[in-house]
């Protein structure tokens, strides 16, 4: 009798599914260049007002444009706005708009022809984010930064003005977020809440069709305003096709068969098959797929609630600085990354600010490295020699991080700190951290915009949870944070950022684990498709042979 194990049955099932659906994903017999990727989590909306996660941000980035955008090095560069001026008090911004930007054709326009984008469209789009009727998840970006909707104005069709309550240097980064995509009021008003299914922007690709659970198709915008250095109109691709297989193993098999053109990240179930411990492609895969990487603006960490005025913190050993520092010193980040992450990412031995941002400087900000002797000394100084008398500490995390949490718990137990790993649902953990009920928790901070202020805002005491999940409060930190917001000089502001990062790390409200890395597995037929620090899906310059 031939025995097929459980994994074998799964593989055979996946193979049958893939073969049965191959016609759906195969290239057209024409010469159309179609970029195909899979979104296993599905897409909730194509309305940029709700672009709160990667699955939405990626297609929204193809359909819409913002006033400004980030380049490959995360610098703010022109998009719809060709230039801008900032007032001396840093509170007023005047943007000069391109005159050759047109909305996609849509039945909401006269004769169905897309009209030219004008400055009142920018006023409408940004005001719509703040309108409570919209209920945008991006309304927070202007909270306490502008006086209200009257902060947006259009002196003429080619000029947009923004007025801030107080100077806020990262405002351009905020305006590059997909929430701030420019939409036409005619289309929004025609479709109402169903605008999520009838998107219309000015981007390089326009909406064609969407069958939820099956596929989403975007086609080339023949009137897109951007051109390459040779004067050729972008994009090069004819279309983008997004499938919705919810099984990562299916997705990987389709990539191998070149029925998908790229895959984001590597699932733990097959990372050891593809990558060696150095994070490189194994020999069997060289030439079959391309590995593309980039520093990712994402810091993975463990957090402590450190507000000792709270009743549940007063009795916790985690209120003690030396205990938190001992935990930081008590496990080997490098070994963890090598054996559990296949070197995907960088051990976080500096601060909270990740590489990829210009203010990052590991020579200036010194974090924690593995030092069990020092960790034991700190335990003794805290009154718990070799952990004697130290209560059991609960670490709350989610299932996908169970192996990492277990590794850290085992290493800490060797120095005398006993950790109980509590696996919980993501939604519940988010609720508990927001209410400061989880005193020791796993977290991650993905940059919303390319400025270190976004990471430091996590520790500004006047911010609630989120983002200040640890309830950290340091008057010196707060003073430097406020100073950085009004500083014009980049070099001085970066120095302030590093001082804040070091100050916070010394106080240890968090345990930085690693600085993440964008991982793309790419079809060798694809070119001009580069990973970037925000992990935006950038397809304007992409080609397929």
């Amino acid at each position: 009798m031939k025995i097929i194990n459980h994994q074998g049955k799964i593989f055979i099932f996946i193979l049958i599914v893939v073969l049965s659906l191959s016609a759906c994903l195969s290239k057209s017999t024409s010469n159309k260049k179609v970029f195909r990727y899979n979104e296993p989590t599905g897409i909730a909306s194509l309305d940029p007002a709700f672009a709160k996660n990667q699955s939405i941000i990626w297609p929204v980035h193809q359909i819409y444009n913002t006033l400004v955008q980030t380049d490959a090095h995360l610098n703010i560069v022109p998009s719809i706005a060709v230039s801008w001026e900032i007032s001396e008090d840093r509170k007023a911004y005047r943007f000069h708009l391109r005159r050759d930007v047109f909305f996609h054709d849509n039945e909401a326009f006269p004769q169905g022809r897309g009209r030219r984008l004008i400055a009142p469209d920018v006023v409408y789009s940004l005001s719509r984010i703040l309108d409570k009727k919209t209920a945008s998840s991006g309304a927070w970006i202007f909270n306490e930064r502008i006086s209200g909707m009257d902060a947006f104005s259009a002196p003429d069709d080619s000029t947009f003005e923004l007025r801030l309550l107080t100077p806020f240097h990262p405002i351009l980064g905020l305006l590059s977020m997909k929430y701030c995509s420019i939409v036409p009021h005619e289309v929004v008003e025609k479709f109402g809440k169903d605008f999520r299914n009838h998107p219309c922007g000015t981007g390089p690709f326009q909406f064609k069709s969407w069958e939820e659970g099956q596929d989403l198709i975007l086609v080339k915008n023949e009137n897109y305003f951007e051109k390459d250095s040779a004067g050729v109109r972008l994009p090069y691709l004819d279309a983008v096709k997004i499938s919705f297989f919810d099984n990562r193993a299916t997705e990987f098999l389709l990539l191998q068969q070149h029925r998908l053109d790229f895959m984001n990240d590597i699932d733990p179930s097959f990372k050891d098959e593809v990558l060696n411990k150095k994070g490189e492609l194994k020999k069997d895969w060289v030439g079959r797929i391309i590995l593309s990487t980039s520093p990712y603006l994402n810091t993975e960490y463990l957090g402590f609630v450190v507000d000792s005025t709270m009743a549940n913190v007063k009795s916790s050993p985690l209120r003690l600085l030396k205990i938190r520092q001992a935990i930081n010193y008590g496990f080997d980040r490098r070994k963890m990354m090598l054996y559990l992450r296949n070197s995907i990412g960088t051990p976080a031995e500096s601060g909270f600010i990740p590489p990829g941002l210009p203010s990052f400087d590991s020579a200036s900000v010194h974090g924690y490295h593995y030092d069990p002797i020092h960790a034991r000394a700190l335990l003794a100084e805290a009154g718990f020699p070799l952990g004697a008398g130290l209560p059991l500490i609960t670490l709350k995390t989610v299932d996908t991080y169970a192996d990492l949490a277990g590794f850290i718990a085992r290493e800490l137990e060797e120095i005398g700190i006993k950790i109980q790993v509590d696996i919980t649902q993501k939604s519940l953990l988010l609720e508990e951290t927001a209410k400061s009920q989880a005193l020791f928790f796993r977290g991650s901070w993905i940059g919303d915009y390319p400025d270190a202020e976004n990471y430091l805002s996590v520790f500004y005491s006047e911010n609630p949870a989120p983002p200040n999940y640890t309830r950290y409060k340091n008057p010196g930190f707060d003073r430097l944070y406020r100073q950085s917001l009004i500083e014009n000089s980049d070099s001085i502001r970066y120095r302030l950022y590093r001082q804040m990062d070091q100050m916070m790390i010394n106080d240890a409200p968090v345990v930085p684990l690693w600085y993440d890395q964008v991982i793309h597995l790419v079809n060798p037929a694809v070119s001009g498709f580069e990973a970037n620090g925000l992990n935006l899906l950038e397809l304007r310059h992409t080609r397929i042979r």
Side-chain angles (χ1 to χ4, degrees):
M1 179 184 294
K2 186 175 180 180
I3 298 175
I4 299 176
N5 62 25
H6 182 63
Q7 289 184 334
K9 289 180 180 178
I10 292 175
F11 180 81
I12 291 171
F13 171 75
I14 290 170
L15 185 59
I16 291 171
V17 171
V18 169
L19 292 175
S20 67
L21 293 169
S22 61
C24 299
L25 284 169
S26 61
K27 288 187 176 179
S28 169
T29 55
S30 70
N31 293 320
K32 295 293 185 182
K33 303 298 183 182
V34 181
F35 185 90
R36 302 149 304 166
Y37 79 91
N38 186 62
E39 181 48 70
T41 64
I43 296 173
S45 175
L46 292 174
D47 183 342
F50 302 95
K52 64 179 180 179
N53 57 43
Q54 183 175 276
S55 65
I56 303 174
I57 288 171
W58 280 4
V60 161
H61 185 54
Q62 316 312 317
I63 299 170
Y64 301 91
N65 292 103
T66 46
L67 277 173
V68 295
Q69 60 188 338
T70 54
D71 65 13
H73 304 290
L74 302 184
N75 299 307
I76 300 296
V77 296
S79 182
I80 288 174
V82 68
S83 63
W84 53 89
E85 295 114 26
I86 307 172
S87 64
E88 287 187 12
D89 65 2
R90 311 284 299 182
K91 294 181 181 179
Y93 288 70
R94 174 174 290 177
F95 297 87
H96 302 283
L97 310 187
R98 298 181 65 120
R99 297 169 185 250
D100 58 350
V101 181
F102 288 81
F103 287 111
H104 303 151
D105 291 348
N106 191 280
E107 60 185 286
F109 298 124
Q111 289 80 53
R113 297 291 301 274
R115 63 166 175 82
R116 184 168 73 91
L117 181 150
I118 55 178
D121 294 314
V122 182
V123 174
Y124 171 79
S125 300
L126 300 188
S127 299
R128 179 172 176 260
I129 301 172
L130 295 176
D131 189 342
K132 292 182 179 179
K133 293 179 182 178
T134 306
S136 170
S137 51
W140 63 269
I141 65 178
F142 293 120
N143 282 352
E144 300 181 4
R145 290 174 183 144
I146 63 172
S147 57
M149 294 184 186
D150 59 349
F152 308 133
S153 61
D156 57 59
D157 282 355
S158 298
T159 309
F160 168 73
E161 293 184 350
L162 167 66
R163 184 78 186 177
L164 302 176
L165 287 173
T166 57
F168 184 69
H169 178 82
I171 188 63
L172 292 175
L174 286 173
L175 291 174
S176 74
M177 295 177 65
K178 299 306 115 183
Y179 287 126
C180 297
S181 299
I182 311 306
V183 300
H185 68 88
E186 299 96 326
V187 183
V188 176
E189 290 163 0
K190 177 178 177 59
F191 292 104
K193 291 184 178 180
D194 206 33
F195 180 60
R196 68 178 290 277
N197 297 314
H198 297 83
C200 181
T202 60
F205 298 92
Q206 61 190 54
F207 179 75
K208 176 69 174 178
S209 65
W210 183 11
E211 188 174 350
E212 295 194 40
Q214 296 296 318
D215 57 45
L216 167 64
I217 297 176
L218 310 176
V219 296
K220 179 178 182 176
N221 175 11
E222 300 288 352
N223 298 315
Y224 188 57
F225 60 89
E226 286 191 280
K227 298 179 180 179
D228 66 14
S229 58
V232 177
R233 191 177 296 275
L234 300 175
Y236 304 128
L237 296 168
D238 294 303
V240 179
K241 185 173 185 178
I242 307 166
S243 57
F244 300 104
F245 300 113
D246 60 4
N247 187 291
R248 294 282 283 173
T250 301
E251 184 179 11
F252 183 52
L253 192 55
L254 290 168
L255 177 69
Q256 294 175 56
Q257 297 174 344
H258 295 171
R259 298 182 187 278
L260 292 176
D261 291 303
F262 111 105
M263 184 173 182
N264 181 59
D265 209 356
I266 300 180
D267 193 83
S269 64
F270 53 80
K271 67 177 171 58
D272 289 329
E273 179 185 348
V274 179
L275 300 180
N276 61 28
K277 293 303 181 184
K278 294 181 180 180
E280 303 164 336
L281 277 180
K282 288 186 173 179
K283 290 182 180 180
D284 290 346
W285 294 98
V286 174
R288 297 169 60 188
I289 56 176
I290 295 171
L291 176 66
S292 176
T293 65
S294 171
Y296 185 20
L297 297 191
N298 176 34
T299 299
E300 297 282 340
Y301 70 97
L302 304 179
F304 307 102
V305 178
V306 295
D307 184 357
S308 58
T309 65
M310 299 175 64
N312 58 344
V313 177
K314 287 181 179 179
S315 59
S316 170
L318 298 177
R319 75 187 187 282
L320 302 174
L321 172 61
K322 291 182 178 180
I323 297 295
R324 301 195 302 270
Q325 290 176 332
I327 291 174
N328 265 289
Y329 281 117
F331 68 99
D332 192 336
R333 291 168 176 81
R334 297 186 183 189
K335 186 166 72 173
M336 178 182 72
M337 296 303 292
L338 181 65
Y339 292 106
L340 297 182
R341 293 275 302 168
N342 291 68
S343 300
I344 300 173
T346 305
E349 296 180 341
S350 184
F352 196 71
I353 298 171
L357 289 172
S359 59
F360 176 84
D361 185 355
S362 59
S364 298
V365 181
H366 303 284
Y368 299 91
H369 56 276
Y370 183 47
D371 189 342
I373 295 175
H374 189 38
R376 292 187 184 96
L378 286 166
L379 272 181
E381 291 170 17
F384 306 99
L386 300 178
L390 184 66
L392 181 68
I393 296 171
T394 298
L395 168 60
K396 294 211 166 191
T397 186
V398 293
D399 183 63
T400 52
Y401 289 82
D403 58 341
L404 293 155
F407 170 85
I408 293 169
R410 288 190 297 273
E411 294 238 314
L412 291 177
E413 188 172 5
E414 292 182 8
I415 65 168
I417 300 176
K418 292 183 179 181
I419 301 292
Q420 174 180 294
V421 178
D422 183 4
I423 306 297
T424 188
Q425 293 182 344
K426 183 177 181 180
S427 58
L428 180 58
L429 182 58
L430 288 172
E431 180 182 348
E432 290 182 342
T433 52
K435 295 179 179 179
S436 301
Q437 294 171 343
L439 299 186
F440 189 27
F441 58 90
R442 173 262 158 192
S444 64
W445 191 263
I446 301 175
D448 296 305
Y449 45 92
D451 194 294
E453 179 276 336
N454 189 219
Y455 288 83
L456 297 168
S457 68
V458 175
F459 305 101
Y460 182 51
S461 69
E462 293 189 20
N463 284 338
N468 189 0
Y469 291 108
T470 64
R471 305 289 181 171
Y472 177 71
K473 183 174 183 179
N474 183 320
F477 180 98
D478 291 349
R479 177 178 55 80
L480 293 177
Y481 179 82
R482 288 189 290 266
Q483 184 181 342
S484 72
L485 296 182
I486 60 175
E487 179 52 59
N488 295 335
S489 167
D490 285 345
S491 59
I492 295 175
R493 191 171 62 259
Y494 295 162
R495 177 167 52 81
L496 293 172
Y497 287 166
R498 294 177 193 123
Q499 287 177 336
M500 283 183 273
D501 207 10
Q502 186 67 69
M503 185 181 297
M504 180 277 300
I505 283 296
N506 291 344
D507 290 340
V510 292
V511 181
L513 299 176
W514 72 86
Y515 310 119
D516 212 352
Q517 188 177 39
V518 173
I519 296 287
H520 288 171
L521 299 179
V522 186
N523 181 345
V526 174
S527 62
F529 178 64
E530 305 296 332
N532 55 74
L534 287 171
N535 200 17
L536 278 176
L537 189 69
E538 187 50 72
L539 297 175
R540 283 173 291 183
H541 293 86
T542 299
R543 299 179 188 267
I544 298 178
R545 292 197 301 274

